[in-house]
Amino acid sequence: MIPLLEVRNLEVTYGEFAAVRGISFDIRDGDLLTIIGANGAGKSTTLRAVMGLLRPRSGQILFRGAEITREPAHLRARRGIRLVPEGRRILPDLSVEENLRLGAYTVPRPGDVADGIERAFTLFPRLKERARQAGKTLSGGEQQMLAIARALMSQPRLLLLDEVSLGLMPILVEQTFATIQALHRHGATILLVEQNARMALAIATRAYVLETGSITLSGTAADLAADPKVKQAYLGG
Amino acid sequence: MLFQQIANGIATGAVYALTTLGLTMVYGVLRVLHVAHAGIYALGAYVGLVAFRFLESFWLSLLVAMVVCAAAGILVERFLYTPLLHLPRIVPLIGSIGLFIAMEEAFRIVAGPYALAYETEIRFLSLGLGPLRLTAPQSLIFTVTMLLLGLLWLLLSRSTLGLAMRATAMDADTTATFGVDTRLIVSLTFAIGSALAGAAGVLIGVYDNQVWPTMGSIPAYKCLAIVVLGGLGNIPGSVLASFLIGLAETLLIGVVAIPFPRDALAFVAMILVLMFRPRGLLGKG
Ligand SMILES: Nc1ncnc2c1ncn2[C@@H]1O[C@H](COP(=O)(O)OP(=O)(O)O)[C@@H](O)[C@H]1O
Ligand SMILES: [Mg+2]
């Protein structure tokens, strides 16, 4: 079977600095894959390259067998890839509802957009209370809910999640991971990037460890969680 | 006398609003000061005049001028700004000033250095409210402006395309990740802003009964001051500042008769407002 996403020898540079140094991985339908790694390891760079916001220096990205390495972000979005970016990137002067509508930009039928908004409000009732408020007036936790809900509007084939737990209160972190796990159970294919390795490994099916731009370990999430090196470096001994 | 000056101020403000809207929209998506926008305004006046001579219809000539200016705006975006965007801000600014000078020279070469008469019989209803009466040309300017502002407002606040335009101005990268072709949106923004400037040029040509090669010179810098006054990139702010400056110019100089060069007023207002609100009247933060 063709993987949903296949990344081959991906190299991404900022000027002369190589942030991602020839990594390869793949994601199959229904996977919840996690890439864990320290701050600066190249996780966000990888996701941004998969989304099409960065042009790789070399390597290939294939989505359902089609090469998309040079394709601009909006065309990849139309193929069904969605990114919840680090820092959430809520459009500050758009209302919560408008942010959701933007998320549904590729959805042609107005009825489906309305259904999507209803689904988002069911998943996160807080967003319904805030529907008409500008995005910038939301708390960090609410913005994170909006960022996830917005990415789900078009029912993506592949969801890229970048540090969704960053800066959230512990209770919200638990909730966020529970939401991700629920989405996965309902059939979503997810690539989760996290510094919070413990939580990520607890819900993922497979995992990669990224160190200064290179993949150093890979395997099932359970195997990596039991690996002494991973334990020592990422799970606090 | 007072009401006559208010009427003059409203008409002036309306033309400022049409012209500055394009500037503020362009700043919103590209973060460049589009000085050559005033060249598009003059282009609109010339095209409107030529079209009027052939078509003998004000409304058709307005439409032709807006379409030609929209196309010119897209060319400026594609061939001047987009190739220079990765360079420091000063580079597209210099390019813009250069293009503006080139356009003025082109008008001079093609149409001659003197003003061309813009003879139109304007038969249009005369609007009024109590003692305030607008002349037929002023009513036309006001009506066309309100119509275009209304359409723009509908587009921006009620359509998916408008949502994409606003989002692109806030954060183009993030907007693209939802499937929006942001390059197309930038071009469209230029097209709409330039069409509005073209309409302003036609209206001023009709109002003053003439067009001339350097008719964009004063708007080129005055509209920048108005845009900054309203808050760069802020559309309602631009409209508000346009009418305020239009009224202030006619009232302070026409009624109070302060001995002050009229065209400097926008700058004085800009400086005063920026001292207290560094981001302009309706700017954020
Ligand atoms: N825009 C940028 N310009 C230059 N260097 C960058 C930029 N973004 C990230 N980097 C560098 O690339 C490396 C990887 O960054 P990033 O992908 O953000 O890491 P992570 O998401 O794993 O924390 C880091 O060393 C970072 O400093
Ligand atoms: Mg990161």
Side-chain angles (χ1 to χ4, degrees):
Chain A
M1 206 181 80
I2 311 169
L4 182 66
L5 181 80
E6 201 177 343
V7 170
R8 292 186 193 147
N9 304 316
L10 180 73
E11 189 190 5
V12 190
T13 54
Y14 297 106
E16 286 307 303
F17 174 71
V20 170
R21 305 175 180 179
I23 64 172
S24 301
F25 62 92
D26 57 53
I27 305 172
R28 290 170 189 278
D29 276 306
D31 265 353
L32 201 180
L33 183 84
T34 185
I35 297 180
I36 60 175
N39 195 11
K43 306 182 296 295
S44 297
T45 303
T46 304
L47 290 198
R48 290 171 62 79
V50 170
M51 187 68 239
L53 293 173
L54 293 172
R55 290 273 167 278
R57 164 165 289 192
S58 62
Q60 283 177 306
I61 303 170
L62 289 88
F63 189 72
R64 306 175 82 214
E67 163 131 32
I68 58 167
T69 317
R70 308 269 145 216
E71 202 169 75
H74 72 275
L75 294 181
R76 300 191 200 193
R78 289 176 196 177
R79 290 182 185 269
I81 305 179
R82 280 293 181 283
L83 170 68
V84 176
E86 190 172 353
R88 303 161 189 127
R89 305 288 286 266
I90 296 303
L91 292 149
D93 297 326
L94 296 187
S95 70
V96 167
E97 193 181 319
E98 285 174 330
N99 268 284
L100 293 174
R101 285 190 184 283
L102 184 67
Y105 188 79
T106 55
V107 178
R109 286 192 44 238
D112 293 342
V113 177
D115 290 350
I117 291 176
E118 274 318 302
R119 256 184 285 118
F121 287 163
T122 313
L123 185 61
F124 300 113
R126 279 300 278 278
L127 295 182
K128 187 167 188 171
E129 295 164 29
R130 305 254 183 276
R132 308 237 160 262
Q133 271 178 239
K136 65 185 169 195
T137 66
L138 301 188
S139 71
E142 290 164 348
Q143 288 197 357
Q144 194 64 72
M145 293 174 200
L146 179 55
I148 295 173
R150 184 175 66 172
L152 293 174
M153 286 299 293
S154 61
Q155 302 193 299
R157 289 173 187 278
L158 174 63
L159 191 57
L160 311 170
L161 300 174
D162 195 353
E163 307 269 15
V164 285
S165 69
L166 200 70
L168 295 186
M169 294 186 302
I171 172 123
L172 287 178
V173 174
E174 301 265 351
Q175 266 178 32
T176 306
F177 276 93
T179 306
I180 297 168
Q181 204 167 16
L183 289 171
H184 179 230
R185 276 209 210 94
H186 284 93
T189 307
I190 299 173
L191 171 50
L192 174 70
V193 145
E194 269 296 331
Q195 275 186 67
N196 189 336
R198 182 183 305 279
M199 299 282 276
L201 290 175
I203 64 168
T205 50
R206 289 194 301 135
Y208 290 87
V209 175
L210 191 63
E211 277 177 40
T212 53
S214 305
I215 288 175
T216 51
L217 282 170
S218 65
T220 67
D223 285 349
L224 283 201
D227 187 293
K229 277 178 287 181
V230 174
K231 272 187 171 167
Q232 213 231 324
Y234 300 103
L235 304 177
Chain B
M1 174 64 184
L2 173 68
F3 287 105
Q4 199 186 319
Q5 292 296 352
I6 293 178
N8 293 342
I10 289 175
T12 310
V15 174
Y16 289 168
L18 284 182
T19 319
T20 52
L21 268 176
L23 273 183
T24 214
M25 289 168 75
V26 164
Y27 184 83
V29 290
L30 289 189
R31 302 288 187 273
V32 294
L33 288 176
H34 178 27
V35 177
H37 192 59
I40 304 272
Y41 157 90
L43 176 69
Y46 275 104
V47 172
L49 177 58
V50 173
F52 182 75
R53 285 185 180 165
F54 281 101
L55 302 168
E56 291 178 1
S57 152
F58 167 76
W59 296 103
L60 277 182
S61 67
L62 179 68
L63 190 68
V64 170
M66 289 178 72
V67 169
V68 171
C69 287
I74 293 176
L75 293 180
V76 172
E77 181 264 317
R78 279 287 149 104
F79 296 106
L80 181 66
Y81 293 134
T82 297
L84 299 180
L85 272 187
H86 62 284
L87 298 168
R89 289 302 158 70
I90 190 81
V91 179
L93 178 62
I94 291 170
S96 187
I97 294 170
L99 175 65
F100 177 53
I101 295 170
M103 287 179 83
E104 288 198 327
E105 291 307 317
F107 298 141
R108 203 191 312 274
I109 292 165
V110 173
Y114 309 110
L116 302 182
Y118 203 139
E119 306 283 356
T120 52
E121 282 277 320
I122 294 186
R123 258 162 300 157
F124 197 73
L125 72 166
S126 165
L127 302 173
L129 186 76
L132 180 63
R133 285 250 137 244
L134 303 188
T135 64
Q138 286 171 345
S139 301
L140 179 75
I141 289 181
F142 187 71
T143 308
V144 171
T145 302
M146 286 303 145
L147 208 71
L148 292 174
L149 290 189
L151 286 175
L152 182 67
W153 179 80
L154 274 181
L155 170 75
L156 288 177
S157 65
R158 291 283 178 273
S159 74
T160 305
L161 188 62
L163 179 66
M165 288 174 69
R166 284 185 290 146
T168 301
M170 287 171 217
D171 183 343
D173 266 4
T174 302
T175 302
T177 66
F178 300 109
V180 178
D181 184 349
T182 50
R183 283 203 55 190
L184 198 66
I185 295 285
V186 168
S187 293
L188 188 71
T189 303
F190 261 83
I192 292 173
S194 303
L196 294 178
V202 171
L203 290 173
I204 272 295
V206 169
Y207 191 55
D208 291 345
N209 292 314
Q210 55 181 355
V211 301
W212 65 101
T214 56
M215 65 183 284
S217 296
I218 290 171
Y221 60 82
K222 193 189 283 180
C223 288
L224 287 180
I226 292 174
V227 166
V228 174
L229 178 64
L232 269 170
N234 185 307
I235 290 178
S238 274
V239 175
L240 176 68
S242 296
F243 279 102
L244 285 180
I245 292 298
L247 283 167
E249 280 182 0
T250 47
L251 290 182
L252 287 181
I253 296 178
V255 178
V256 186
I258 55 164
F260 195 77
R262 172 190 175 120
D263 294 321
L265 198 70
F267 285 90
V268 175
M270 176 185 83
I271 292 164
L272 286 179
V273 168
L274 291 188
M275 279 164 62
F276 300 101
R277 292 190 58 91
R279 286 170 185 269
L281 286 174
L282 299 189
K284 293 165 196 81

